[in-house]
Amino acid sequence: MSRLRAELRQGIVGMGWRHAVVGVALAVAVYFTSMIYNTLNHGPYVMFLRTPLDQAMPLVKVFVIPYISLNPVTYVTLVVFLLFRIRIYESAALSMITAFLVSYAFYFFVQSYVARPVVSGDDLLSQLLRDVYRGDNPYNDFPSLHVSISTVLAISWWRFNQRVGWVAAVWAAVVIASTQLVHQHYLADVAGGLLVGFGASWIWGRVILSRGHLQKGRTAAAPA
């Protein structure tokens, strides 16, 4: 019980009203920033980044499961960080917002397109994959937001707990593979998403987490 109380003191409940206000504001900002995606998800496209290797990639329907896992994992992750590590939450939320905005700039100015296969079959995996295709037009591909957001989450979990971070890293790797194997993205989209995800996490980690360690150090050094 004392361990739980100690953990909660590092979350939104124990870090003061300023962090609480910022936490709620960031939750709202992440939500509304994510909503911009649909307004840009249309042609005409400027880039078609398929390579021969992309064209040779098989369609593996089972990978639709990790592909659609991104949203629930994102929500759970942000709630856990909000409750137990407010600074990691702030860093993750700002990294996600940055990834959205950088990607949106590409979608607006240099829209991309991905060619999808026809999915046949009445099995559950085929139905799920067709649902993904119906809910997401074949645009907004470079850089891949699935890649950048899963990367941000994996890095944030690593900062929270390295053992959980390994699990998150494996999950992110499977999600990244799924973007290829359900034919939602090309290899260039993956590379762009990794660059955005790592870059945003590095920047906000330096700004938020380094500042938090510095403030703790000053508090510890203050005279009693």
Side-chain angles (χ1 to χ4, degrees), residues 32-103:
F32 281 105
T33 306
S34 70
M35 292 296 101
I36 299 172
Y37 180 92
N38 290 327
T39 67
L40 299 172
N41 194 12
H42 58 78
Y45 65 92
V46 176
M47 298 191 297
F48 183 59
L49 299 172
R50 186 174 68 186
T51 67
L53 187 56
D54 291 304
Q55 198 160 4
M57 200 73 67
L59 177 66
V60 185
K61 295 177 184 178
V62 71
F63 275 85
V64 72
I65 295 174
Y67 187 85
I68 63 177
S69 74
L70 180 66
N71 282 347
V73 171
T74 299
Y75 300 143
V76 169
T77 295
L78 291 179
V79 169
V80 170
F81 292 163
L82 187 64
L83 291 175
F84 297 106
R85 291 292 189 281
I86 189 67
R87 292 191 185 279
I88 294 178
Y89 166 83
E90 292 170 356
S91 174
L94 286 166
S95 297
M96 289 174 61
I97 292 169
T98 301
F100 282 129
L101 295 179
V102 170
S103 299

Side-chain angles (χ1 to χ4, degrees), residues 28 90 134 185 208:
V28 173
E90 292 170 356
R134 277 194 294 266
H185 287 283
I208 302 295

Side-chain angles (χ1 to χ4, degrees), residues 2 6 22 34-35 72 102 111 126 170 191 198 215 219-220:
S2 60
V22 170
S34 70
M35 292 296 101
V102 170
Q111 181 63 283
S126 297
V170 171
F198 276 104
Q215 288 173 345
T219 302

Side-chain angles (χ1 to χ4, degrees), residues 2 13 28 50 72 78 81 99 106 116 130 142 155 165 195 209:
S2 60
V13 174
V28 173
R50 186 174 68 186
L78 291 179
F81 292 163
F106 280 93
R116 295 167 170 169
R130 283 195 293 269
F142 179 88
I155 291 171
L195 183 61
L209 302 179

